[in-house]
Amino acid sequence: MTNNFRRFNSRVGVVFVFQNRLIRLLSWRTPTHTLSFLAVYTLLCLDPYLLAVLPLVILLLFVMVPSFVTRHPPPPTNLSTDSYSAYGPPVAPPPTVKPVSEMSKDFFRNMRDLQNSMEDFAQIHDKVVDLVAPPTNFSNETLSSAVFLFLFVASCILFLASHLLPWRAISLLAGWAGVCAGHPSIQRQLVSTHKDHVQPRERRTQSWVSSWIDGEIKLDSGPEMREVEVFELQRRSTADEWAGWVFSPSPHDPLSPDRVTGHRPRGTRFFEDVQAPPGWEWSDKKWTLDLLSREWVEERMITGVEIEMEGERWVYDISYDDESDETEDGTTIKGKGRRMEWEEGTGLGKTGPWRRRRWILVMVTLKVYASYHLLPLYSDEKNASVDETEEARECVESFTVGTATVLEHLSTNFESSLMAVMLVLFLPLLMPLPSSLLRTDDSTSAMTLQEIARQ
């Protein structure tokens, strides 16, 4: 890492040279250069096909011509009327770009500029996150829903009418406005206009937007409810008594995959160990016994079982003479056997080694409160306390002051802000894409509990 940093720092000087020249160009240090740039930009906006010529012209004027002049320098003379002659053999070595030495002034100057750029990027990153994240990360669902609705409508309109817009004129006006905003006189005018006209109207605008969102955006805040099922499995012991085995998300019927492959049923030994999935909670502490055993047996098309229609609603395995044997630990020794449809019974006859019954309970989604809000006036909580109201006002004031600070920083410190914005724009191109994406599974509740039981 140290070696790579030294090699990078000794070669990054050309980037800062380009940055300084671009800053001088856009900050009107030399007005003739800035006006020449605007003339070229205007020509490109009026005729976009000239963009194909631009890289070649840059290569000719800024690389080839300076290299030729360096290779063929003009002869020394004291007369200003002497013309430059391009004839004759080269008298100077060709120019080369060499990395600076590690103990030179340029090396430490590059290190200083690199540290300043990193600090500017960190500040701009924090400001952008504080400004963009709250209205877009659904910490305040009402505000984020309004932003989503506006972006969706704007996308649909642009999708249908983008070909009707005068993009050349828009690009021309936007470029001239951006470059002219870097002029020192215009910067001072923008700062004074913001202080005199924008800041006094920010609260009024926020109040109007808040009332419009509260009146137009209605969200269903009711929690989502789902029914969860757990099967209580019991196994016949050697003393011909039923003993509790596990609480499983699967009924462990005779044709289930675990029974066919000879595996033990999966689950937990105690009812208290059955936990709700993350983001959910139980609506009640008591589980309810499902008295309609016939329905869930028919829904799963379970065969080879005997249903108890009264009493505790157990569903027993039907015992056959040629049925496979099971060991004490619940595994199955494979053998030949036949299976028939389910039948009604009392469980007093000859039954198999397993019986099960179904318990149900309703779970609801947890309401997660955000740690901060961009505009607490948009909150749908009507019974807020006095402390929460004061905190909301402080958040609005901090948001207003932060916005003014960013604008003032961009206006007064144009050089450092320009480099930071360039880093923000080009950094995503250097970041690798994630190798995998999270996937949500909308399967049944029993599958969710099965994953919990495996843990």
Side-chain angles (χ1 to χ4, degrees):
M1 180 181 298
T2 305
N3 184 35
N4 292 335
F5 175 77
R6 291 198 305 266
R7 296 179 68 249
F8 173 78
N9 191 69
S10 62
R11 293 164 174 81
V12 76
V14 62
V15 176
F16 297 115
V17 171
F18 174 76
Q19 171 196 348
N20 294 332
R21 292 183 179 180
L22 185 62
I23 290 174
R24 285 196 298 266
L25 179 66
L26 298 180
S27 59
W28 296 78
R29 298 289 181 84
T30 307
T32 55
H33 293 175
T34 306
L35 292 176
S36 300
F37 169 77
L38 288 175
V40 175
Y41 178 78
T42 303
L43 187 61
L44 292 176
C45 290
L46 297 179
D47 191 1
Y49 296 103
L50 294 178
L51 285 173
V53 187
L54 184 61
L56 303 179
V57 173
I58 293 176
L59 184 63
L60 288 174
L61 297 181
F62 297 97
V63 178
M64 301 294 294
V65 172
S67 299
F68 182 83
V69 173
T70 303
R71 191 87 163 109
H72 299 267
T77 180
N78 295 326
L79 300 178
S80 59
T81 58
D82 292 344
S83 61
Y84 173 78
S85 178
Y87 299 99
V91 296
T96 57
V97 180
K98 297 181 180 180
V100 299
S101 60
E102 296 185 2
M103 300 304 296
S104 62
K105 293 182 179 180
D106 293 335
F107 184 85
F108 291 101
R109 187 181 295 112
N110 294 341
M111 186 179 298
R112 179 203 62 189
D113 295 337
L114 185 60
Q115 292 292 330
N116 294 336
S117 301
M118 294 169 62
E119 174 63 21
D120 293 336
F121 172 77
Q123 293 182 1
I124 295 297
H125 176 272
D126 294 341
K127 296 295 183 181
V128 171
V129 169
D130 293 340
L131 185 64
V132 176
T136 57
N137 63 0
F138 286 88
S139 58
N140 189 336
E141 292 194 354
T142 307
L143 175 61
S144 298
S145 300
V147 174
F148 177 85
L149 180 61
F150 172 77
L151 295 177
F152 178 76
V153 174
S155 301
C156 294
I157 294 176
L158 290 178
F159 181 79
L160 298 176
S162 59
H163 64 285
L164 302 177
L165 297 177
W167 290 110
R168 295 183 181 180
I170 294 175
S171 301
L172 181 62
L173 295 177
W176 273 82
V179 175
C180 292
H183 196 277
S185 300
I186 299 180
Q187 287 184 11
R188 290 191 293 267
Q189 184 64 28
L190 290 176
V191 172
S192 62
T193 303
H194 179 267
K195 292 182 179 180
D196 298 338
H197 301 283
V198 177
Q199 286 184 352
R201 294 175 173 82
E202 283 182 347
R203 286 185 175 274
R204 186 185 307 172
T205 304
Q206 292 177 2
S207 178
W208 178 82
V209 174
S210 174
S211 61
W212 181 84
I213 292 180
D214 291 339
E216 299 295 335
I217 305 298
K218 301 296 183 182
L219 298 179
D220 184 11
S221 58
E224 183 181 357
M225 304 178 64
R226 290 189 181 183
E227 186 181 77
V228 180
E229 62 179 9
V230 173
F231 293 92
E232 180 185 359
L233 301 182
Q234 291 188 359
R235 187 173 181 274
R236 189 192 301 273
S237 63
T238 55
D240 201 17
E241 296 180 355
W242 293 104
W245 196 261
V246 291
F247 292 91
S248 173
S250 172
H252 200 60
D253 58 278
L255 296 182
S256 63
D258 291 340
R259 291 284 293 274
V260 173
T261 56
H263 291 90
R264 294 166 55 92
R266 302 175 182 179
T268 179
R269 294 296 303 270
F270 304 100
F271 234 145
E272 294 76 9
D273 296 335
V274 180
Q275 302 294 331
W280 297 79
E281 64 178 352
W282 303 121
S283 61
D284 194 1
K285 297 182 179 180
K286 185 178 181 181
W287 291 75
T288 304
L289 178 63
D290 188 3
L291 302 179
L292 304 177
S293 302
R294 177 176 177 178
E295 292 186 0
W296 63 263
V297 170
E298 291 180 346
E299 288 177 358
R300 289 170 169 78
M301 294 183 292
I302 298 177
T303 60
V305 295
E306 176 183 325
I307 301 176
E308 188 179 47
M309 304 304 298
E310 296 180 356
E312 298 181 349
R313 301 302 195 273
W314 290 102
V315 177
Y316 297 84
D317 291 347
I318 297 179
S319 178
Y320 302 97
D321 295 337
D322 54 352
E323 188 178 12
S324 302
D325 297 330
E326 292 198 11
T327 60
E328 291 293 335
D329 59 354
T331 59
T332 303
I333 302 176
K334 297 182 180 180
K336 295 183 180 180
R338 59 185 180 90
R339 289 291 180 266
M340 59 182 297
E341 300 295 333
W342 64 268
E343 61 184 33
E344 298 182 3
T346 60
L348 299 178
K350 189 176 182 181
T351 58
W354 293 96
R355 69 174 184 178
R356 76 281 300 156
R357 57 181 176 179
R358 183 172 179 259
W359 296 85
I360 57 176
L361 184 60
V362 176
M363 63 178 182
V364 296
T365 54
L366 286 172
K367 187 173 182 180
V368 180
Y369 294 93
S371 58
Y372 60 90
H373 298 281
L374 176 63
L375 294 178
L377 298 175
Y378 300 161
S379 177
D380 56 353
E381 297 295 329
K382 303 300 181 181
N383 298 325
S385 62
V386 178
D387 295 337
E388 293 176 349
T389 304
E390 294 296 331
E391 183 180 358
R393 293 177 180 175
E394 293 177 359
C395 291
V396 173
E397 293 176 358
S398 62
F399 168 73
T400 304
V401 174
T403 304
T405 304
V406 172
L407 293 177
E408 186 176 358
H409 176 75
L410 294 177
S411 300
T412 58
N413 196 4
F414 181 78
E415 298 180 2
S416 61
S417 301
L418 179 62
M419 182 58 187
V421 171
M422 292 175 60
L423 290 175
V424 171
L425 294 178
F426 288 101
L427 184 63
L429 300 178
L430 306 177
M431 297 175 62
L433 293 176
S435 58
S436 61
L437 298 177
L438 295 177
R439 180 176 62 88
T440 56
D441 191 2
D442 295 334
S443 58
T444 60
S445 303
M447 295 301 296
T448 305
L449 291 178
Q450 184 177 3
E451 298 295 333
I452 297 177
R454 292 178 181 178
Q455 297 178 0

